[in-house]
Structures are given as structure tokens and as C-alpha cells.
Amino acid sequence: MGIRYLILPIIGFGGGFLVAGGVIALVVGLGIITRFAGITHTAVHNRLYEMAVLLGGIYGTMATVFRFPLPGGRVGMAVQGLTAGMYVGAWIMALAEVVHMFPIFARRIGLTKGVSFVVLAIALGKVTGSLLHFYMGW
């Protein structure tokens, strides 16, 4: 019984390190942080970006493992939902850009004008689906 309590934490921490390493490799490979810094012209605040990613990862892990209530009530939940949605959306768009999904898709269906409307429709569909899922329980 004692060896189990020694081995399980080692396996848990090892798995956590592997997953965290994979996520960081994906963030670096996609260039999400550098792209944000370049678009917003805030590359001088590189340490702030690093701290935000670190603290966000720690907060997300703690909230998932310990399931503590969100600070700030409904306003805090709205802010966290908005920022989490922006984060996931940025990941999806960065991944789609890296694999050149939009140019390939547009060429295959013969779309020459209105690509921005297609991207907007995808975003609105994602928002609508999320709202239906969370508020209507679908």
C-alpha cells in the first residue's frame, strides 16, 4: 500500500510534465505569442506575455484539479469565459493558418471573393453553437 502512494504522484507529475511540454511546443511551433506581440506592437513586454501564459496555465490547472469557485461571481465568470474563448479562437485560427486551411479550402470550392465573410460565418457559428450548448444544454 505504501509503494502505491509513492509511485502514483511520480506518474502524475511525469504525465503533467509531458502534457505541458507538448502544449508549450505547440505554442512555440504555431508562434501564437510572437504573433500577438507582433500584431499589437507590444514585443517590448515579452516578460508580461510569458508571465500571463505561466499564470494562466497554473490557474487553469488549479481550477481543473481542485474545482474552486470562480472569483468575482457572474462578472468574473463572464470575463473568464470571454478570455478563454478568445484564447481558444486564437489557437484555432493560428492552427488553421499554419496548415494553410483557408487558401486550400477557398481554392477547392472556387471561392475568389468573400473569404472574410466565410471566416466571420465560422466565428459566428462557433459562438452560436457555444451559446446553445451552455445556455440550452444541447
Side-chain angles (χ1 to χ4, degrees), residues 2-111:
I3 192 85
R4 180 186 301 169
Y5 292 110
L6 181 66
I7 292 177
L8 286 178
I10 292 171
I11 292 171
F13 279 119
F17 279 118
L18 286 174
V19 170
V23 169
I24 294 304
L26 187 61
V27 167
V28 170
L30 291 177
I32 293 173
I33 304 300
T34 55
R35 180 151 319 190
F36 284 160
I39 289 171
T40 59
H41 306 293
T42 56
V44 295
H45 302 292
N46 192 23
R47 291 270 188 209
L48 184 62
Y49 280 113
E50 291 173 0
M51 287 303 294
V53 170
L54 176 67
L55 293 175
I58 291 171
Y59 173 76
T61 301
M62 300 299 277
T64 302
V65 172
F66 297 111
R67 299 187 184 267
F68 54 81
L70 292 174
R74 290 184 183 259
V75 173
M77 185 169 47
V79 168
Q80 184 176 2
L82 180 66
T83 55
M86 290 168 41
Y87 178 75
V88 170
W91 270 76
I92 291 169
M93 295 308 290
L95 184 59
E97 185 177 320
V98 166
V99 298
H100 304 293
M101 181 189 84
F102 290 116
I104 293 170
F105 177 70
R107 187 173 49 238
R108 293 250 170 121
I109 66 170
L111 182 67

Side-chain angles (χ1 to χ4, degrees), residues 48 114-115 126:
L48 184 62
V115 175
K126 180 76 175 160

